Amino acid sequence: MDEAEVVVAHSERATLRVGDVFLKVDADQARIDVEVEAMSLAPVPTPEVLWRKPPVLATTALRGTTLGRLGGPATGAPAAWAAAGAAIRKLHDAPLPPWPGRAGRGIDEWAKELADECEWLVTNGVLPADLVARNRQVAEAALRPWTPVFTHGDLQIAHVFVDGDEVTGIIDWSEAGRGDALYDLATFVLGHEEHLDDVLAGYGTDIDIDLGVIRAWSSLRSLLAVRSLIEQGFDPFAPGCEVDALRSRM
């Protein structure tokens, strides 16, 4: 019998791998509903849904490996990163899903959460005030009107699988929906911005990409992540993770 491997676990959800099957347990049924619907609509490879029995979703494993993870070394040749960029562009060019996603929240909502988290980080002595202030200044460039696209919403490199220069699948769609394309791109290269040119080579140069906004989303996402990561038992201070991303803006 295959052993059960805990892939990730915290107070909101847990994912287990048993052989070639992934079991996701989520306390919020709405997230599972979004995930299944998004995978059915996305024009990119995704895991096959084997069965659903709330609060559990069972899916197949994917061929290949990820390009790395936040806080770890990045892998893959430039062609693999370009292939990921092409897959992201295919998603962004797809018809819009009928619901808003994390990347599509209103500017006022983003601004309030940013202000609240910055205040919490400084008041509680989690991060130096100058580091927070600098990144908040950078982050505010993301808070501008955008044309919504089909976004993944949590497009970490650990969620994209490749085999050579072929994208074999993208996982974890619970935050998908309408949103800003540059939010997905910023999330994908967070901690590995040295690969941004390769990603954009695959994404395409036929549209204007504002690199400042990509960096802004990176700072914003990192500022908002620190508290929740700490509360869930993860370490945003680990080398190459969110706090290092914030320090890179100084």
PDB file of all heavy atoms in Angstrom, residues 132-151:
ATOM      1  N   VAL A 132       8.898  48.361   5.375  1.00  0.00           N
ATOM      2  CA  VAL A 132       7.470  48.348   5.070  1.00  0.00           C
ATOM      3  C   VAL A 132       7.093  49.574   4.242  1.00  0.00           C
ATOM      4  O   VAL A 132       6.372  49.470   3.245  1.00  0.00           O
ATOM      5  CB  VAL A 132       6.644  48.288   6.365  1.00  0.00           C
ATOM      6  CG1 VAL A 132       5.154  48.459   6.069  1.00  0.00           C
ATOM      7  CG2 VAL A 132       6.895  46.969   7.096  1.00  0.00           C
ATOM      8  N   ALA A 133       7.592  50.743   4.642  1.00  0.00           N
ATOM      9  CA  ALA A 133       7.242  51.974   3.941  1.00  0.00           C
ATOM     10  C   ALA A 133       7.726  51.948   2.489  1.00  0.00           C
ATOM     11  O   ALA A 133       6.986  52.354   1.570  1.00  0.00           O
ATOM     12  CB  ALA A 133       7.839  53.172   4.671  1.00  0.00           C
ATOM     13  N   ARG A 134       8.949  51.462   2.274  1.00  0.00           N
ATOM     14  CA  ARG A 134       9.486  51.413   0.918  1.00  0.00           C
ATOM     15  C   ARG A 134       8.663  50.476   0.044  1.00  0.00           C
ATOM     16  O   ARG A 134       8.287  50.808  -1.094  1.00  0.00           O
ATOM     17  CB  ARG A 134      10.949  50.948   0.945  1.00  0.00           C
ATOM     18  CG  ARG A 134      11.552  50.645  -0.416  1.00  0.00           C
ATOM     19  CD  ARG A 134      11.440  51.807  -1.370  1.00  0.00           C
ATOM     20  NE  ARG A 134      11.973  51.478  -2.692  1.00  0.00           N
ATOM     21  CZ  ARG A 134      11.650  52.114  -3.807  1.00  0.00           C
ATOM     22  NH1 ARG A 134      10.792  53.128  -3.779  1.00  0.00           N
ATOM     23  NH2 ARG A 134      12.180  51.758  -4.954  1.00  0.00           N
ATOM     24  N   ASN A 135       8.339  49.292   0.566  1.00  0.00           N
ATOM     25  CA  ASN A 135       7.584  48.340  -0.232  1.00  0.00           C
ATOM     26  C   ASN A 135       6.141  48.767  -0.422  1.00  0.00           C
ATOM     27  O   ASN A 135       5.534  48.471  -1.455  1.00  0.00           O
ATOM     28  CB  ASN A 135       7.672  46.948   0.393  1.00  0.00           C
ATOM     29  CG  ASN A 135       8.939  46.224   0.002  1.00  0.00           C
ATOM     30  OD1 ASN A 135       9.017  45.605  -1.048  1.00  0.00           O
ATOM     31  ND2 ASN A 135       9.950  46.348   0.850  1.00  0.00           N
ATOM     32  N   ARG A 136       5.584  49.466   0.550  1.00  0.00           N
ATOM     33  CA  ARG A 136       4.240  49.992   0.351  1.00  0.00           C
ATOM     34  C   ARG A 136       4.240  51.020  -0.777  1.00  0.00           C
ATOM     35  O   ARG A 136       3.315  51.042  -1.610  1.00  0.00           O
ATOM     36  CB  ARG A 136       3.716  50.619   1.638  1.00  0.00           C
ATOM     37  CG  ARG A 136       2.288  51.145   1.499  1.00  0.00           C
ATOM     38  CD  ARG A 136       1.735  51.652   2.800  1.00  0.00           C
ATOM     39  NE  ARG A 136       0.371  52.152   2.641  1.00  0.00           N
ATOM     40  CZ  ARG A 136      -0.363  52.650   3.620  1.00  0.00           C
ATOM     41  NH1 ARG A 136       0.131  52.705   4.856  1.00  0.00           N
ATOM     42  NH2 ARG A 136      -1.587  53.092   3.385  1.00  0.00           N
ATOM     43  N   GLN A 137       5.270  51.832  -0.824  1.00  0.00           N
ATOM     44  CA  GLN A 137       5.384  52.813  -1.903  1.00  0.00           C
ATOM     45  C   GLN A 137       5.472  52.111  -3.259  1.00  0.00           C
ATOM     46  O   GLN A 137       4.810  52.509  -4.230  1.00  0.00           O
ATOM     47  CB  GLN A 137       6.627  53.679  -1.684  1.00  0.00           C
ATOM     48  CG  GLN A 137       6.855  54.732  -2.746  1.00  0.00           C
ATOM     49  CD  GLN A 137       8.166  55.478  -2.544  1.00  0.00           C
ATOM     50  OE1 GLN A 137       9.172  54.893  -2.128  1.00  0.00           O
ATOM     51  NE2 GLN A 137       8.152  56.766  -2.826  1.00  0.00           N
ATOM     52  N   VAL A 138       6.287  51.051  -3.335  1.00  0.00           N
ATOM     53  CA  VAL A 138       6.404  50.281  -4.577  1.00  0.00           C
ATOM     54  C   VAL A 138       5.070  49.630  -4.916  1.00  0.00           C
ATOM     55  O   VAL A 138       4.610  49.654  -6.059  1.00  0.00           O
ATOM     56  CB  VAL A 138       7.511  49.213  -4.436  1.00  0.00           C
ATOM     57  CG1 VAL A 138       7.505  48.282  -5.648  1.00  0.00           C
ATOM     58  CG2 VAL A 138       8.878  49.864  -4.270  1.00  0.00           C
ATOM     59  N   ALA A 139       4.414  49.043  -3.903  1.00  0.00           N
ATOM     60  CA  ALA A 139       3.183  48.279  -4.109  1.00  0.00           C
ATOM     61  C   ALA A 139       2.050  49.129  -4.662  1.00  0.00           C
ATOM     62  O   ALA A 139       1.201  48.637  -5.423  1.00  0.00           O
ATOM     63  CB  ALA A 139       2.754  47.622  -2.798  1.00  0.00           C
ATOM     64  N   GLU A 140       2.007  50.387  -4.299  1.00  0.00           N
ATOM     65  CA  GLU A 140       0.884  51.237  -4.703  1.00  0.00           C
ATOM     66  C   GLU A 140       0.791  51.415  -6.210  1.00  0.00           C
ATOM     67  O   GLU A 140      -0.275  51.751  -6.738  1.00  0.00           O
ATOM     68  CB  GLU A 140       0.975  52.573  -3.973  1.00  0.00           C
ATOM     69  CG  GLU A 140       0.596  52.437  -2.487  1.00  0.00           C
ATOM     70  CD  GLU A 140       0.801  53.708  -1.690  1.00  0.00           C
ATOM     71  OE1 GLU A 140       1.469  54.644  -2.222  1.00  0.00           O
ATOM     72  OE2 GLU A 140       0.321  53.773  -0.547  1.00  0.00           O
ATOM     73  N   ALA A 141       1.892  51.142  -6.942  1.00  0.00           N
ATOM     74  CA  ALA A 141       1.849  51.238  -8.402  1.00  0.00           C
ATOM     75  C   ALA A 141       0.944  50.169  -9.015  1.00  0.00           C
ATOM     76  O   ALA A 141       0.496  50.309 -10.157  1.00  0.00           O
ATOM     77  CB  ALA A 141       3.258  51.113  -8.983  1.00  0.00           C
ATOM     78  N   ALA A 142       0.666  49.099  -8.262  1.00  0.00           N
ATOM     79  CA  ALA A 142      -0.226  48.053  -8.771  1.00  0.00           C
ATOM     80  C   ALA A 142      -1.684  48.466  -8.696  1.00  0.00           C
ATOM     81  O   ALA A 142      -2.534  47.874  -9.386  1.00  0.00           O
ATOM     82  CB  ALA A 142      -0.010  46.760  -7.988  1.00  0.00           C
ATOM     83  N   LEU A 143      -1.981  49.459  -7.883  1.00  0.00           N
ATOM     84  CA  LEU A 143      -3.373  49.843  -7.626  1.00  0.00           C
ATOM     85  C   LEU A 143      -3.827  50.868  -8.653  1.00  0.00           C
ATOM     86  O   LEU A 143      -3.934  52.059  -8.389  1.00  0.00           O
ATOM     87  CB  LEU A 143      -3.509  50.376  -6.199  1.00  0.00           C
ATOM     88  CG  LEU A 143      -3.000  49.418  -5.116  1.00  0.00           C
ATOM     89  CD1 LEU A 143      -3.199  50.020  -3.738  1.00  0.00           C
ATOM     90  CD2 LEU A 143      -3.700  48.068  -5.223  1.00  0.00           C
ATOM     91  N   ARG A 144      -4.079  50.361  -9.855  1.00  0.00           N
ATOM     92  CA  ARG A 144      -4.508  51.190 -10.965  1.00  0.00           C
ATOM     93  C   ARG A 144      -5.504  50.380 -11.776  1.00  0.00           C
ATOM     94  O   ARG A 144      -5.614  49.161 -11.598  1.00  0.00           O
ATOM     95  CB  ARG A 144      -3.310  51.634 -11.796  1.00  0.00           C
ATOM     96  CG  ARG A 144      -2.851  50.667 -12.883  1.00  0.00           C
ATOM     97  CD  ARG A 144      -2.120  49.459 -12.345  1.00  0.00           C
ATOM     98  NE  ARG A 144      -1.810  48.535 -13.465  1.00  0.00           N
ATOM     99  CZ  ARG A 144      -2.033  47.248 -13.444  1.00  0.00           C
ATOM    100  NH1 ARG A 144      -2.543  46.659 -12.391  1.00  0.00           N
ATOM    101  NH2 ARG A 144      -1.722  46.491 -14.489  1.00  0.00           N
ATOM    102  N   PRO A 145      -6.281  50.998 -12.649  1.00  0.00           N
ATOM    103  CA  PRO A 145      -7.240  50.230 -13.451  1.00  0.00           C
ATOM    104  C   PRO A 145      -6.525  49.213 -14.337  1.00  0.00           C
ATOM    105  O   PRO A 145      -5.413  49.453 -14.818  1.00  0.00           O
ATOM    106  CB  PRO A 145      -7.930  51.301 -14.292  1.00  0.00           C
ATOM    107  CG  PRO A 145      -7.700  52.578 -13.555  1.00  0.00           C
ATOM    108  CD  PRO A 145      -6.360  52.446 -12.911  1.00  0.00           C
ATOM    109  N   TRP A 146      -7.132  48.042 -14.523  1.00  0.00           N
ATOM    110  CA  TRP A 146      -6.594  47.044 -15.430  1.00  0.00           C
ATOM    111  C   TRP A 146      -7.745  46.379 -16.179  1.00  0.00           C
ATOM    112  O   TRP A 146      -8.892  46.408 -15.732  1.00  0.00           O
ATOM    113  CB  TRP A 146      -5.762  46.000 -14.680  1.00  0.00           C
ATOM    114  CG  TRP A 146      -6.540  45.234 -13.631  1.00  0.00           C
ATOM    115  CD1 TRP A 146      -7.442  44.222 -13.838  1.00  0.00           C
ATOM    116  CD2 TRP A 146      -6.493  45.446 -12.224  1.00  0.00           C
ATOM    117  NE1 TRP A 146      -7.953  43.789 -12.641  1.00  0.00           N
ATOM    118  CE2 TRP A 146      -7.383  44.511 -11.622  1.00  0.00           C
ATOM    119  CE3 TRP A 146      -5.771  46.313 -11.393  1.00  0.00           C
ATOM    120  CZ2 TRP A 146      -7.582  44.441 -10.249  1.00  0.00           C
ATOM    121  CZ3 TRP A 146      -5.973  46.239 -10.021  1.00  0.00           C
ATOM    122  CH2 TRP A 146      -6.863  45.313  -9.465  1.00  0.00           C
ATOM    123  N   THR A 147      -7.400  45.784 -17.306  1.00  0.00           N
ATOM    124  CA  THR A 147      -8.379  45.012 -18.068  1.00  0.00           C
ATOM    125  C   THR A 147      -8.370  43.586 -17.541  1.00  0.00           C
ATOM    126  O   THR A 147      -7.330  42.919 -17.570  1.00  0.00           O
ATOM    127  CB  THR A 147      -8.033  45.012 -19.561  1.00  0.00           C
ATOM    128  OG1 THR A 147      -8.027  46.352 -20.045  1.00  0.00           O
ATOM    129  CG2 THR A 147      -9.048  44.198 -20.348  1.00  0.00           C
ATOM    130  N   PRO A 148      -9.485  43.080 -17.024  1.00  0.00           N
ATOM    131  CA  PRO A 148      -9.476  41.750 -16.420  1.00  0.00           C
ATOM    132  C   PRO A 148      -9.253  40.639 -17.447  1.00  0.00           C
ATOM    133  O   PRO A 148      -9.701  40.730 -18.589  1.00  0.00           O
ATOM    134  CB  PRO A 148     -10.860  41.637 -15.771  1.00  0.00           C
ATOM    135  CG  PRO A 148     -11.707  42.614 -16.504  1.00  0.00           C
ATOM    136  CD  PRO A 148     -10.806  43.731 -16.913  1.00  0.00           C
ATOM    137  N   VAL A 149      -8.528  39.605 -16.995  1.00  0.00           N
ATOM    138  CA  VAL A 149      -8.304  38.399 -17.795  1.00  0.00           C
ATOM    139  C   VAL A 149      -8.590  37.189 -16.902  1.00  0.00           C
ATOM    140  O   VAL A 149      -8.849  37.321 -15.701  1.00  0.00           O
ATOM    141  CB  VAL A 149      -6.855  38.337 -18.329  1.00  0.00           C
ATOM    142  CG1 VAL A 149      -6.537  39.548 -19.198  1.00  0.00           C
ATOM    143  CG2 VAL A 149      -5.855  38.221 -17.182  1.00  0.00           C
ATOM    144  N   PHE A 150      -8.535  36.008 -17.474  1.00  0.00           N
ATOM    145  CA  PHE A 150      -8.686  34.761 -16.730  1.00  0.00           C
ATOM    146  C   PHE A 150      -7.373  34.528 -15.981  1.00  0.00           C
ATOM    147  O   PHE A 150      -6.359  34.204 -16.587  1.00  0.00           O
ATOM    148  CB  PHE A 150      -8.982  33.619 -17.701  1.00  0.00           C
ATOM    149  CG  PHE A 150      -9.426  32.316 -17.056  1.00  0.00           C
ATOM    150  CD1 PHE A 150     -10.154  31.399 -17.795  1.00  0.00           C
ATOM    151  CD2 PHE A 150      -9.123  31.988 -15.744  1.00  0.00           C
ATOM    152  CE1 PHE A 150     -10.580  30.195 -17.240  1.00  0.00           C
ATOM    153  CE2 PHE A 150      -9.525  30.790 -15.170  1.00  0.00           C
ATOM    154  CZ  PHE A 150     -10.258  29.888 -15.920  1.00  0.00           C
ATOM    155  N   THR A 151      -7.381  34.697 -14.671  1.00  0.00           N
ATOM    156  CA  THR A 151      -6.166  34.536 -13.875  1.00  0.00           C
ATOM    157  C   THR A 151      -6.244  33.292 -12.999  1.00  0.00           C
ATOM    158  O   THR A 151      -7.317  32.864 -12.575  1.00  0.00           O
ATOM    159  CB  THR A 151      -5.916  35.750 -12.967  1.00  0.00           C
ATOM    160  OG1 THR A 151      -7.078  36.005 -12.183  1.00  0.00           O
ATOM    161  CG2 THR A 151      -5.564  36.976 -13.788  1.00  0.00           C
TER     162      THR A 151
END
